[in-house]
Amino acid sequence: MSSRNSEPGKEDLEPAKKLRPARTTATRQKLFDASMELIGERGAAGVTVDEIAAAAGVSKGTVYYNFGSKSDLIAQLLRHGVDILKARLLAAPDRALPEGGPADAGTRQDPLLAMEAMIGQAMDFMAEYPSFARLWVSENWRTPSEWQGTFTLLRAELLAVIGDAVENVAQAYPVDRSVSRGSLETAIFGACFVVGLDRQTYNPERTRDQSVAAIMAIMRGYVLKQSPPRG
């Protein structure tokens, strides 16, 4: 993950071109599924466009027509994966509402339960797409990385979703204000990838709920008093 805090320069804006929508969602999903399997076996550098196209059941020309190059293809696949993850994270709070309860102003929702639901969705995503998690972790800290600008943009989007959830907790509970919010959100973000990937790779016997509870310990340590949320 990039630690740069300065405003993006011209070189950082270039990857935004690589995040343009693909021609069709169906083609993008086929390429995403095929690429994740291949990349999981050999890494991004060891996979060719020909192999990705063949595994996805599309022509090489289709890949180049939609994405332009292998570099652009990987950038789009990163975008596609983050879009899937972000959609699940944003939908999670609704799933945390009391069963049968309408998602309206009359329904009280514990923001800690909403955060727990979000982390659960992250664990499900890591279980479904472990190769995406490996690609993210391996390339994110590579220096230099061909997709550093892309990672910077996508990482910011995910951190913003987590930040909103943390803010909801801070509004409802007394929290430790000495904890850096940026560091807290990064800790939760990184833990979702690392704990989820570790479970898939080394500890398959570890349950989803155990993984979620471990990450939630970070949030529960931020809350000073585990009483019902302020209302």
Side-chain angles (χ1 to χ4, degrees):
M1 300 177 187
S2 172
S3 61
R4 293 179 301 172
N5 295 317
S6 60
E7 289 296 318
K10 183 178 180 181
E11 67 277 6
D12 296 309
L13 298 177
E14 184 64 22
K17 298 179 180 179
K18 300 179 181 181
L19 303 182
R20 64 189 184 281
R23 291 280 178 168
T24 68
T25 300
T27 297
R28 187 170 53 200
Q29 186 65 44
K30 284 182 181 179
L31 290 166
F32 181 76
D33 290 337
S35 298
M36 288 304 99
E37 184 173 348
L38 291 170
I39 289 171
E41 295 171 356
R42 283 177 280 155
V47 177
T48 68
V49 171
D50 284 14
E51 290 171 322
I52 293 172
V58 301
S59 69
K60 182 179 178 180
T62 296
V63 176
Y64 282 116
Y65 179 76
N66 281 285
F67 303 102
S69 68
K70 177 184 170 181
S71 179
D72 288 358
L73 170 62
I74 298 298
Q76 272 280 8
L77 294 176
L78 289 168
R79 157 57 68 193
H80 187 69
V82 166
D83 283 347
I84 294 172
L85 175 56
K86 189 165 69 169
R88 294 185 184 185
L89 295 181
L90 290 171
D94 287 341
R95 298 178 187 178
L97 287 165
E99 187 173 353
D104 59 27
T107 303
R108 285 292 305 167
Q109 180 189 13
D110 186 337
L112 277 175
L113 292 180
M115 174 66 80
E116 188 173 37
M118 285 180 61
I119 293 172
Q121 285 298 309
M123 291 302 97
D124 291 341
F125 176 85
M126 302 306 163
E128 189 173 350
Y129 299 111
S131 294
F132 179 86
R134 291 189 186 97
L135 173 63
W136 184 278
V137 171
S138 65
E139 289 295 334
N140 223 326
W141 283 281
R142 190 187 303 278
T143 305
S145 170
E146 184 175 356
W147 301 284
Q148 185 174 8
T150 298
F151 278 118
T152 299
L153 293 172
L154 298 180
R155 174 181 177 274
E157 290 183 21
L158 291 173
L159 283 174
V161 174
I162 296 171
D164 287 343
V166 171
E167 179 59 28
N168 289 338
V169 171
Q171 292 295 324
Y173 287 93
V175 296
D176 186 351
R177 299 291 178 180
S178 70
V179 174
S180 164
R181 278 287 302 273
S183 296
L184 176 63
E185 293 150 17
T186 301
I188 296 168
F189 175 76
C192 285
F193 274 92
V194 174
V195 172
L197 190 55
D198 182 81
R199 176 183 170 221
Q200 296 302 313
T201 306
Y202 296 110
N203 295 285
E205 77 285 353
R206 188 179 297 155
T207 68
R208 172 189 188 271
D209 289 346
Q210 287 173 328
S211 298
V212 172
I215 300 170
M216 277 300 294
I218 301 172
M219 273 306 300
R220 296 192 186 281
Y222 177 56
V223 176
L224 295 176
K225 186 178 179 181
Q226 297 288 311
S227 57
R230 296 182 290 233

